Amino acid sequence: YSRELRLNLETVSLKGLLCDVFGLVKVPVGVKVVDLVDCDLQVNVDVAKMHRVFANVVKNAFDAMPNGGVLTINCEKAAGLLEVCFSDTGEGMSDETLSKLWTPLFTTKAKGMGFGLSICKRIVEAHGGKVCVKSQIGKGTAITIALPFEALT
């Protein structure tokens, strides 16, 4: 966690990046994935690190839907940023959990180590982006990863 992040940037398709992630992460029975990402979007990112970010967010969404649900992925250009949003219909998080979400060693999982989301946030910020989370108990969670337009080609 404390190591300096070095980025190996390359231009790739956002859609392709997401397809790679779903090749690594198994979609649970009862969960439907709705991918609304525009096929033509290109991003300039460290592919391995963004795989890690997206896979972590997707796995957390799946964990939040133990009885099934829907994960919707979409993106849009807004306020000088490319925003990739992962919205699940899971259990949602309390305000207390949200306030601790980015703290290293904080976890709500029995076998979690508490570094996943804090590392993801560092990776996104190293790309010049930011992460935003909105959640409502019983309704689900939306995690938005925003990357600067300069990252687009």
Side-chain angles (χ1 to χ4, degrees):
Y1 178 78
S2 64
R3 252 189 291 167
E4 180 183 345
L5 285 176
R6 296 186 199 278
L7 301 178
N8 181 20
L9 300 176
E10 59 183 286
T11 302
V12 295
S13 156
L14 179 59
K15 185 76 149 186
L17 195 62
L18 288 167
C19 286
D20 290 347
V21 168
F22 282 101
L24 301 170
V25 178
K26 184 178 182 218
V27 178
V29 173
V31 172
K32 179 181 178 186
V33 176
V34 178
D35 182 354
L36 303 174
V37 173
D38 183 345
C39 294
D40 295 333
L41 293 172
Q42 298 284 312
V43 290
N44 191 30
V45 295
D46 183 307
V47 173
K49 287 181 176 59
M50 289 310 290
H51 275 163
R52 183 174 184 173
V53 169
F54 290 163
N56 189 287
V57 170
V58 167
K59 286 178 189 176
N60 285 346
F62 291 163
D63 289 347
M65 299 184 288
N67 300 315
V70 178
L71 173 62
T72 303
I73 306 166
N74 60 30
C75 68
E76 62 183 53
K77 297 173 187 177
L81 298 169
L82 174 66
E83 298 179 340
V84 184
C85 184
F86 299 81
S87 297
D88 68 57
T89 58
E91 300 169 343
M93 292 181 273
S94 68
D95 289 341
E96 181 182 355
T97 298
L98 282 171
S99 72
K100 297 175 184 175
L101 202 58
W102 308 112
T103 306
L105 302 177
F106 173 75
T107 184
T108 60
K109 298 178 181 179
K111 294 185 178 185
M113 299 210 27
F115 284 110
L117 286 176
S118 57
I119 289 173
C120 289
K121 184 173 189 258
R122 284 189 66 223
I123 291 170
V124 171
E125 288 174 349
H127 282 83
K130 61 184 179 179
V131 183
C132 176
V133 180
K134 293 180 182 175
S135 189
Q136 198 172 8
I137 295 286
K139 302 232 179 191
T141 300
I143 295 184
T144 302
I145 297 167
L147 299 171
F149 260 112
E150 292 76 35
L152 300 176
T153 58

